[in-house]
């Protein structure tokens, strides 16, 4: 398995509170991604990063922000959590030019917003 | 924008039955194609991938997939399923548009009965 950890693994929070999820990798891969998984939708891209301090939006970025100050860490922040953000969040990594840019996934964070 | 369709949402098979899961994508250019599997409570794992060359791709655990460019399809097959194949299967596409993120289908839940 790729060296990807996510923290926390489970979180329950209340509507309106900020939440930060962390993805940490030990593979020194340049690209990192945040997806959310919801029944009937598969995985949808929230944000991704192509280098330190270089990030871009995905298809469901509203209400989320990200930061990447080090190669190994990619943070996802829910600025003011809503019940619609209850989901399972997966981080992924890839390295352009290696293994044809296969993405490897972390174990996921299950978030419940009450 | 690219999209991925998985028409079988829930498939129930008996052990030793043959499996074929459909995947169609919409993008006219060069694509990389993937199948991921998610066992209950676990993260996504790569099953197989297609980048170029032989359109028949073999993956782990006896799975294979065939890329048919004219049909924009990448169907997953296994000649004889086992109870341990019970999982959710996701098809994903990475179109060579600059963004290196994956677009996922909505997933197919496979239930194999002993």
């Amino acid at each position: 398995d790729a060296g990807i950890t996510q923290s926390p693994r489970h979180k329950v929070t209340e509507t309106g509170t900020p939440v930060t999820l962390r993805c940490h990798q030990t593979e020194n891969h340049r690209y990192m991604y945040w997806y959310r998984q919801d029944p009937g939708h598969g995985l949808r891209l929230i944000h991704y990063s192509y280098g330190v301090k270089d990030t871009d939006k995905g298809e469901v970025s509203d209400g989320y922000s990200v930061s990447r100050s080090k190669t190994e860490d990619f943070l996802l922040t829910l600025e003011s959590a809503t019940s619609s953000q209850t989901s399972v969040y997966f981080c992924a990594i890839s390295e352009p030019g290696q293994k044809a840019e296969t993405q490897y996934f972390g174990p996921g964070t299950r978030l419940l917003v009450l | 924008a690219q999209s991925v369709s998985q028409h079988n949402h829930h498939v129930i098979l008996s052990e030793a039955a043959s499996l074929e899961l459909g995947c169609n994508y919409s993008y006219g250019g060069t694509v990389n194609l993937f199948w991921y599997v998610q066992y209950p409570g676990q993260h996504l794992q790569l099953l197989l991938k297609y980048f170029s060359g032989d359109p028949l791709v073999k993956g782990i655990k006896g799975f294979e997939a065939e890329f048919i460019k004219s049909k924009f399809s990448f169907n997953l097959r296994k000649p004889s399923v086992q109870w341990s194949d019970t999982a959710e299967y996701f098809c994903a596409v990475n179109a060579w548009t600059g963004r290196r993120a994956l677009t996922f289908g909505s997933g197919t839940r496979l239930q194999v009965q002993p």
Side-chain angles (χ1 to χ4, degrees), chain B residues 45-64:
Chain B
Q45 302 172 40
L46 182 67
L47 206 52
L48 49 77
K49 60 190 177 186
Y50 172 81
F51 287 85
S52 63
D54 189 345
L56 185 60
V57 178
K58 294 193 184 300
I60 60 172
K61 303 186 180 185
F63 286 91
E64 65 179 30

Side-chain angles (χ1 to χ4, degrees), chain B residues 1-20:
Chain B
Q2 65 211 45
S3 65
V4 180
S5 296
Q6 291 183 243
H7 305 294
N8 313 104
H9 298 296
H10 188 194
V11 173
I12 302 174
L13 295 174
S14 298
E15 276 192 312
S18 64
L19 170 72
E20 181 159 4

Side-chain angles (χ1 to χ4, degrees), chain A:
Chain A
D1 286 345
I4 311 170
T5 56
Q6 292 183 231
S7 58
R9 294 292 313 279
H10 302 272
K11 186 167 181 68
V12 180
T13 191
E14 293 186 347
T15 298
T17 60
V19 176
T20 296
L21 309 182
R22 179 181 184 239
C23 176
H24 178 79
Q25 59 144 330
T26 58
E27 306 295 321
N28 203 36
H29 281 12
R30 189 152 51 102
Y31 278 67
M32 298 185 75
Y33 311 81
W34 278 107
Y35 293 90
R36 60 177 288 175
Q37 182 181 27
D38 304 288
H41 290 279
L43 278 78
R44 293 178 291 175
L45 181 68
I46 306 172
H47 281 279
Y48 70 103
S49 169
Y50 47 96
V52 174
K53 295 188 179 2
D54 293 323
T55 65
D56 202 354
K57 295 179 180 180
E59 59 184 299
V60 291
S61 60
D62 286 348
Y64 301 95
S65 62
V66 290
S67 66
R68 190 165 177 205
S69 58
K70 298 185 289 185
T71 299
E72 58 266 34
D73 290 326
F74 193 32
L75 303 181
L76 175 71
T77 297
L78 287 65
E79 294 140 8
S80 177
T82 68
S83 58
S84 65
Q85 293 176 312
T86 291
S87 187
V88 182
Y89 292 85
F90 286 99
C91 173
I93 65 173
S94 71
E95 180 58 35
Q98 288 190 15
K99 298 184 180 179
E101 301 187 32
T102 299
Q103 290 189 22
Y104 297 94
F105 287 81
T109 294
R110 192 173 294 271
L111 176 67
L112 174 60
V113 182
L114 300 174

